[in-house]
Structures are given as structure tokens and as C-alpha cells.
Amino acid sequence: MIEIDDVSRLYGGVPVVDHVTLTIQPRTICVVVGTSGSGKTTLLRMINKLVNPSSGSLRIDGEDIAGIPAYELRRRIGYAIQGHGLFPHRTVGQNIATVPKLLGWDKAKTADRVDELLTLFQLDPQAFRDRLPHQLSGGEQQRVGVARALAAKPNILLMDEPYGALDPVIRAKAQHDLLAIQRKLGTTIVLVTHDMEEAIQLGHTIAVMAHGKLLQSATPTEIIGHPATPFIAELIGSSERPFRLLALSRVADHIEPGVAEGAPIDADASLRDAYADMLWSARSAMPVTRHGEIVGRLTLDALAKLAARPQ
Amino acid sequence: MVLGKSGQAARATRLVTVIGVSMSLADTADAHARPTWLALDKLGVLIAIVAAVGVVLPFALFRANRIVPGETIMLPAALPLPLVFLLAAVLLAGFVAALLRWPAWLKLATGFVVLATLFVLVGLAASYLTPEGETFARVSPGAGFWVLAFAFALLVTDALTRLRLRPQYRVAILVAVILAMALLLWSGLWNDLSMLKEYASRAQAFWSEAQTHLLLAFGSVATAALVGVPLGMVCYKVRRLRAGVLNVLNIVQTIPSIALFGLLIAPLAWVAANVPGAKAIGISGIGAAPALLALFAYSLLPIVSNTVVGLLGVSPAAIDAARGMGMTRWQRLLAVELPLAFPVILTGIRIVLVQNIGLTTIAALIGGGGFGVFVFQGIGQTAMDLVLLGAVPTVALAFAAAVLLDALVDMTARGARP
């Protein structure tokens, strides 16, 4: 658990982070959203002491980080940034081994961990271990950057606009992979982005910041349904609200008994995909399959109710 | 009719494209009209003009003894007739290779053949022109030889640049050239050339001065690197120090070299006289100590500024990542910043080494020794051959150092290039 307690940071008397209090539950993804200059990156960098707070305190699992030497704390926390920050003169394997080496792991254990992470990120260890960063594509560099951040099995992973430099297709895949890896490892992730779409897609909780202040911290459903300020509503976009809400739920949770005509949809798909499919094929209901077997149907009426503003 | 014409033109363009893979080089409309192997090379035209001037200038210089003004000897008279024809044929091939857009490796090979022929034949010309049993007569290469050698050396370096060879191959070519020169000197083909006659009468001094020269040039660069790189690191970390240190070094750099050598005489003489033990370790007002100190002072600016620039050029994302992963200041410096800045630092050392090999000649003025001894003796005696005995090895040494360190810079720039 990360507890940010009434934390401020001033530069030349001007608060960049202004009395922020935020608690991040273990094993969840918290996405901090804001425009540039909102203080979101500064807030993130205070968690691993790259920036020290002017006032207030931060605790990790109850321990005040002020008492932990910065380099020691940072080795316990994964750190992935935009533009990956890979060391250009070191191979992929050496890059990933950075923190294990700092912690003094033995060679065999480090090598095993490097191969394990490369495999986890769908990069063939044989082919990628000895390559240099400039020989990789942007998406591959980004994956190596995250693999490096996870090398020493940290409980916490900090990510600063990790997908900012990727094209939309690769970004979608990277986001999907991150969710799968987070579920598998149970890492607590704090991710900073300016993209509300990304925040809704990834976050268990979303913290919206503007001018150094925390405006709202809540679940995506809550943020979409009840934005605390007009600014947040603007970030979400009024015409997008119902569809973003639908995108949060899966078909599996809203299956009704009965039959329907036409091509079926998988129970794992999002309601948004189901809705688009139904509109496109001009149907009012569609069959739902799980593992290839029809288990029920989904109706347009039900979707319309689900897309309405939550009470 | 109109259609037919444009069709023909299109076909012709296609044909040219098929013949010449390196069409991108032939960018003028004129070049498109000709087959590529006939197209003119822009730099080649310049080389050919320079070489043509070299042909009509005297090939050799004959003097009755080492200090009288000599008589010039044109190319046809400098060699036995068959060799004149051989040289003419080789030079003709060289002209063609320079002028036309041949592949770079062909230009390179032809350039080396021309240079080798020139070098061997100038030695033979010396033997041919020296009267039998005459020991005072001197034959030296004339202006024509130097201009020709310059022109085809240009052809070779241009071809090497275009080939973009890997650093290992460039070093291999350098070693091959050094071996060829050693073979030429060892074979005795050049023994009748005036420069080697000067060498023969002072062989022992030549090698001891060579040793001094190397010691001064490399010693000053090594000490400057030992001091300059840490100083550069401090200037990088402490921003307030940066401008001050670099400005002071800039001023040192602007002092004329002869003046700096001279200025150091007085303070060092004082040190030698008043600091106990200073004299014992070789410090004195004249000699190697002030020379070393002056060369050291000149070397500092390029090394310090390149260290600062190199460190400033390290990707901020890499430094942020290094901090964020828990590297300490020292770990960051040693594992990330210095390795990434190293090629730039090495470039600074390369500049200084080449500069100091040349500058060391001036050390002879204050009794520092080195190849400059022959240069200044030669000037004093108006014996140009003696000047060359000092100047040619200096140039060769500087050139070899430049090639070697350039290759080293390329080899260390692993992954640092985008």
C-alpha cells in the first residue's frame, strides 16, 4: 500500500504538487491523469524519491520513505519511463540485469531472470538477449524497458507515460499485455498519463490532477458517471461517456437466457464491442458463446440501460 | 509522334538506370546522357588538374652538394626511357581512374599503384641521376613529384572515405602502408635520395630524437588526459565552475606556441634553482620540461571541453532511468555517463595527439629535442633535405595517429549512434 499524506512540492515558492492525499491499494493499478503541468509526474517521482516533498509524508506498507536511503528505495521499486531510457551501449540482457546486478544477485540467477522476463514479454531470449537497443523496434524497446523495471521482482512499478512514443496499434497491445502481466504478478502499478482513454482502460482507480491539486480519485465507473468537476467531464468527453462505460464491462456479466440470430460474440468481449457489432448488423439481440458453445444472448435493450448514467 | 519520343526517352532512362547502380552520384542532366562509366567525377577533375600540373613541373632536383641551389630536371630526363614510359602509362591509368566514376575500390587500387610506382621510381631516378662514385651530389624529389604524390594521395583518401570501411579494415590498410614503406626503405631503393643521405650521416641522432619526439607528444597527451578528463567531469557536475575553467583554457590556447615555450623558461628556471629536488627530476628553464609543460597546457582545452560536451550529450532518459533504478552517483558516472561520453572524449584526445605531434617540432627551439632539431638545423644551414628529414616523419606520425584514433573512436561508439 502506498499512502501519500498531504504532500506538497514547491519550486521557487510555486506549488507544483499542492496538498495531495492519495492512498493506492496493493495489487491494483492506479492511473494518475492530467494535462501537462498538472504535477502528475512530480507526484510519481516523489514515490521513489527522485523528487523530495516540501511538506507532507509518503509511506510504503506503513514505512515512511523519508527514512530509507534513496538508492535503496529505488532498487525496490520498478521504474519505467517514456522513451524507455534503455542504456544504448548495453545489450538487452545487460539492461534488464541492471537492478539485479546492483543488488548483487549471482550470475546464474540473473541470467535465468533475464530469460524469464524476455519470455514473459514475448521476446525470444535467444534472439534478443545480446542485441543492442537501437537494433529493436519502438514496441520492443518499450517492452524491454518494462521488463528491466520488473527485473528485481519489485512490489511496486512506477510508469511515466510509458506508451507515449508508441503508435496506436502497438500501444493497444502493450496496454493489453500490461493488464495480463499485472494480473499474473500482482504488482502495484502507479501509471502517469495525459490520455483519459488509457486511464479508463488500465486503471482500477483513476486520480485526476490539475494545477498540482488532486481533483478526484475514484473507480473508472464513478469518474465517468459522476465527474467531480467540469474539467474532468471535459477530459472524458460528453459524447464518449456511454461508450466508455460500456467498454468497462464484459459480455459475460450480462448474459440473458434465450436465443438470437446471426453471428455470436465471445463472452470475454467488452460490451462496447458487442454494442458496435449489433448496431452494424442491425440486430436487437445476439447469441453469446463461451469456449465455442452458445450460452445465451445479449439484447440491445439491456445494453441501452447499461450505457445510461450510473445512479 | 510525341508519344513515341517520350517513350524512347523513358526507355533510355531505364537503360541508364540498369547500367548504373550508383546513379544517385550522376546527378546532372549531362551525366544522364552518357553511360555511367564514362561520367565525370567532380573531385576527380580537380585531382586530374593538380596531377597534370605535377607532370609539367620538374620531377627531380640535382645539386652538386647539399647547400648550393640546384638544377631542375623534368620527368622525361629523370629516368631511363623504359621507366619513363612505364611511369607515363601508370599516370595515364591514374588520370582515367580519377576522372571517371569508377567504383571506389577500383579508384583506391589504382591510386595505390600510382603512388607505389611514384615512390619506387623517385628512388630509381636518384640513382640514375647521381654520377658514379660521386658522394657530394644530391638528388631530391622535385615539385612535380610532391604535387603528383599529393594528387594521388587525395584520390586514395577520397576513395577510402567513399568506401566507408569498417575501422578494423582501415587500420589494416594503415599497417599495410607502413609495412610497404618500411620495405621500401629497407630495400635501399631510396638510398641515393638526398633525404636519406642526410639520414645516413646522423642515423643515431635520428632515432634518439624520434624517441624524444614520441615521448614529448604522447607524454603530454597522456598527462593532459589524466588531468583533463577528471577536470571535465568536475566541470560537468559543477555548473558554476564550467565557464570559468573553459575560458581560462581558451586563453591558454590562444597564446602563440613559440611565445608559450619562451614564457615558461623564466619560471621553470626559478623552480629549478629554488625548489629542492626539482633539478634532480629534470626540471630546468630550457629542455624537455618547459616543452612538456607547454604541450600539456595546449592539450587541456580540447580534452576538458570534449569531456564536458560528451557528458552533456548523454541521453537524459538514460540518466533518469539510471537514477530511478537506484544507481548511486558514482555508479551512474562509471556505468552510464562515462561509457556513453567516451567516443567524444576520445575524439578530443585524437585532436590533441595529432596537434601535439606537429607542435612538438617547435620544442627543439628551447632545447626540448625531437624531430624539430633537424628542421631548425636544416633552416640554419639552408639544407632543405635536412628540414625534410625532420618534417616528413612528423607528418607521417601525425597521419598514422589520426587514422588509428579515428578507427578507435568508431569502434568505441557502440550503440551510441542513433
Side-chain angles (χ1 to χ4, degrees), chain A residues 245-296:
Chain A
L245 207 53
L246 286 180
L248 289 173
S249 313
R250 290 184 311 145
V251 171
D253 303 326
H254 304 279
I255 304 171
E256 300 170 20
V259 288
E261 296 292 309
I265 189 157
D266 192 84
D268 270 339
S270 79
L271 289 183
R272 184 185 194 158
D273 292 340
Y275 184 60
D277 202 347
M278 253 189 275
L279 289 180
W280 195 245
S281 58
R283 290 179 286 176
S284 57
M286 69 197 307
V288 178
T289 56
R290 185 178 280 147
H291 309 305
E293 271 179 59
I294 293 183
V295 290

Side-chain angles (χ1 to χ4, degrees), chain A residues 45 48-51 70-72 74-75 77-79 81-91 94-95 98-99 102 132 134 148-149, chain B residues 314-329 331-332 334-341 412-418:
Chain A
R45 291 165 73 88
N48 65 355
K49 290 181 91 168
L50 283 169
V51 174
Y71 67 91
E72 221 178 279
R74 291 175 196 155
R75 287 172 195 178
I77 298 176
Y79 185 57
I81 54 177
Q82 177 172 18
H84 60 73
L86 293 177
F87 302 140
H89 61 304
R90 293 197 173 175
T91 64
Q94 289 167 336
N95 263 291
T98 305
V99 181
L102 290 173
L132 287 170
H134 73 89
R148 181 176 69 171
Chain B
V314 175
S315 137
I319 294 176
D320 185 39
R323 282 186 70 200
M325 282 189 295
M327 284 191 180
T328 60
R329 251 171 180 255
Q331 286 167 335
R332 227 156 61 219
L334 294 179
V336 180
E337 292 167 319
L338 273 183
L340 286 175
T412 54
R414 173 173 113 136
R417 281 161 298 177

Side-chain angles (χ1 to χ4, degrees), chain B residues 50-396:
Chain B
V50 174
V53 172
V55 170
V56 297
L57 284 173
F59 188 71
L61 208 63
F62 178 86
R63 279 166 301 171
N65 64 54
R66 65 191 281 258
I67 53 174
V68 294
E71 59 175 300
T72 56
I73 295 163
M74 302 305 286
L75 184 54
L79 285 161
L81 208 54
L83 289 181
V84 172
F85 281 123
L86 173 71
L87 184 56
V90 171
L91 283 178
L92 193 66
F95 273 108
V96 175
L99 276 174
L100 298 183
R101 266 172 224 264
W102 282 2
W105 63 267
L106 201 56
K107 282 172 179 271
L108 181 69
T110 317
F112 271 131
V113 168
V114 175
L115 283 178
T117 313
L118 273 173
F119 276 50
V120 169
L121 288 188
V122 80
L124 291 178
S127 313
Y128 174 70
L129 293 172
T130 308
E132 200 72 41
E134 173 68 83
T135 51
F136 292 115
R138 292 299 165 95
V139 179
S140 47
F145 169 81
W146 293 116
V147 171
L148 279 170
F150 168 74
F152 288 101
L154 199 60
L155 179 68
V156 165
T157 44
D158 175 51
L160 278 174
T161 315
R162 289 191 202 184
L163 277 176
R164 294 168 192 272
L165 288 177
R166 292 225 206 138
Q168 297 92 305
Y169 292 122
R170 298 208 302 263
V171 173
I173 289 178
L174 176 70
V175 170
V177 168
I178 291 172
L179 286 179
M181 283 309 296
L183 189 69
L184 185 65
L185 291 169
W186 174 76
S187 69
L189 272 173
W190 272 17
N191 280 359
D192 283 322
L193 271 178
S194 55
M195 201 173 93
L196 282 187
K197 284 189 171 167
E198 295 289 350
Y199 165 75
S201 59
R202 42 175 72 74
Q204 217 177 354
F206 179 86
W207 290 111
S208 91
E209 294 304 351
Q211 210 181 341
T212 314
H213 199 101
L214 287 176
L215 210 68
L216 283 175
F218 283 86
S220 59
V221 172
T223 39
L226 280 178
V227 175
V229 174
L231 188 58
M233 278 153 54
V234 171
C235 288
Y236 162 71
K237 290 277 183 198
V238 189
R239 192 176 302 212
R240 269 175 303 171
L241 219 64
R242 206 180 289 162
V245 170
L246 289 181
N247 278 336
V248 168
L249 293 176
N250 240 327
I251 291 169
V252 172
Q253 202 79 2
T254 58
I255 303 175
S257 47
I258 294 184
L260 187 57
F261 282 118
L263 284 173
L264 285 169
I265 293 178
L268 281 175
W270 185 87
V271 169
N274 294 294
V275 178
K279 206 160 196 163
I281 57 166
I283 292 177
S284 62
I286 55 167
L292 203 64
L293 201 61
L295 291 170
F296 166 80
Y298 278 124
S299 314
L300 270 183
L301 175 72
I303 292 181
V304 173
S305 66
N306 271 47
T307 305
V308 173
V309 169
L311 288 170
L312 285 175
V314 175
S315 137
I319 294 176
D320 185 39
R323 282 186 70 200
M325 282 189 295
M327 284 191 180
T328 60
R329 251 171 180 255
W330 276 106
Q331 286 167 335
R332 227 156 61 219
L333 191 67
L334 294 179
V336 180
E337 292 167 319
L338 273 183
L340 286 175
F342 189 65
V344 184
I345 298 175
L346 202 57
T347 307
I349 292 177
R350 172 227 185 269
I351 293 168
V352 161
L353 186 59
V354 173
Q355 167 197 291
N356 278 14
I357 288 173
L359 216 52
T360 302
T361 17
I362 299 178
L365 265 187
I366 50 163
F371 285 130
V373 169
F374 303 123
V375 174
F376 290 113
Q377 274 179 14
I379 292 173
Q381 303 171 5
T382 62
M384 278 309 125
D385 306 323
L386 192 51
V387 174
L388 285 180
L389 185 65
V392 171
T394 309
V395 172

